[in-house]
Amino acid sequence: MGLAAWPCWKTIANAPGNLGPNKVIRMSACISVTDLVKRYDTPAGPLDILDRISIDVDAGQNLAVVGPSGSGKSTFLHILGTLDEPTSGTVLLMDRNPFELNERKLAAFRSEHIGFVFQEHHLLPQLTARENVLIPAVARGNAGEQAVERAKQLLERVGLGKRIDHRPGQLSGGERQRVAVARALMNGPRILLADEPTGSLDHANSSDLGRMLLDLQKSDGLALICVTHNDELAGWFDRQVRLESGRFAEL
């Protein structure tokens, strides 16, 4: 899929002035966060986990978020994934505020635009690799022949072309996480969110998975945000920010 097909980008045919013909210009960020606050009420008073943070991530960009345990990294990612709501501030995804949608429309928005990769693969043990990858399509009522073929192609892209009919118990830890990555891409999301995707892997598998994630992100032009404690993995990203005391610092 070319950039022109993406809501974050626009192709201007026969544009006047310095743009020239068929130039691609950025309309807005795929992810735009402004003054985001996440606050919890505690017996000791309000606790701000996220304190007025702002950041933009465009299509084709990747960002690593690092920081100490309990700093709010996963909370930030869950809000971006619409699994949690902000206390205040604005989150725009694909130029829309998803928190203005009703529950049904929000679920459809999430399914269409956002892919998740978590530390644990969360594969269903009774299903094959291809059947696990198909789950997002089944949830959308779109599991026909095209979807089955796409699942096969995605597994081939992550290096599991010969493991399509294997169940999770027949796969290594690294292979199971590769299936999880393929599943996250099944519905063709514009945004990919990864929460400690290499946290359960050894160094070799961690390196392989990290490089594969970035290769897929760049080839598909996705906006990728990854939360990680892995300094080596974070160093491969184009941008890195540290989250501490509720605020971001660019590294």
Side-chain angles (χ1 to χ4, degrees), residues 207-223:
S207 296
D208 288 346
L209 187 87
R211 293 191 184 280
M212 183 195 72
L213 263 179
L214 286 166
D215 286 344
L216 291 167
Q217 175 262 321
K218 290 182 182 296
S219 64
D220 288 7
L222 305 177

